[in-house]
Amino acid sequence: GKYSCSGNAVSGDVTVTTSAYSTDMTTVSAGNAFTVCGENDKLSADTTFTLNDGTNTQTINVHTSCSKTLSVGNVFGALTVTSFECADGSSGSMGTGTGTGTGGTTGTG
């Protein structure tokens, strides 16, 4: 997928904020997952994640429209896509449609 990443590498517990409609938690430990949901179960064309470990901040903008494929295993800065479900109920690789995604922090940037 297409993305941009700025700032410094984060590690340990991080506070996650996002431009998406909601997340299921705001503080995530390295290696743990969190869920991101778009408004009406659809992500916008771009989704921004801001990660802060108390010292460093990393901002990641992920292109989440239909024009670029999103797949399990994609790494975006300190985030890795571990699973997602498309609005049509399918999962695995998202190149058409939009959906909800689950990402886990890796602790590296």
Side-chain angles (χ1 to χ4, degrees):
K2 179 180 173 184
Y3 79 104
S4 64
C5 179
S6 62
N8 298 310
V10 294
S11 61
D13 292 346
V14 296
T15 301
V16 178
T17 55
T18 179
S19 63
Y21 184 65
S22 67
T23 60
D24 67 348
M25 58 178 31
T26 57
T27 302
V28 181
S29 297
N32 287 344
F34 63 97
T35 302
V36 177
C37 297
E39 190 169 7
N40 298 317
D41 291 330
K42 294 182 180 185
L43 295 174
S44 63
D46 292 288
T47 302
T48 301
F49 300 89
T50 303
L51 312 177
N52 184 292
D53 65 9
T55 302
N56 297 309
T57 299
Q58 186 175 93
T59 302
I60 304 163
N61 185 52
V62 180
H63 190 71
T64 49
S65 79
C66 304
S67 66
K68 297 289 181 188
T69 300
L70 179 66
S71 298
V72 170
N74 285 154
V75 176
F76 304 108
L79 299 178
T80 302
V81 176
T82 57
S83 67
F84 63 87
E85 182 178 313
C86 296
D88 65 5
S90 64
S91 62
S93 182
M94 182 172 68
T96 58
T98 56
T100 60
T102 302
T105 62
T106 64
T108 60

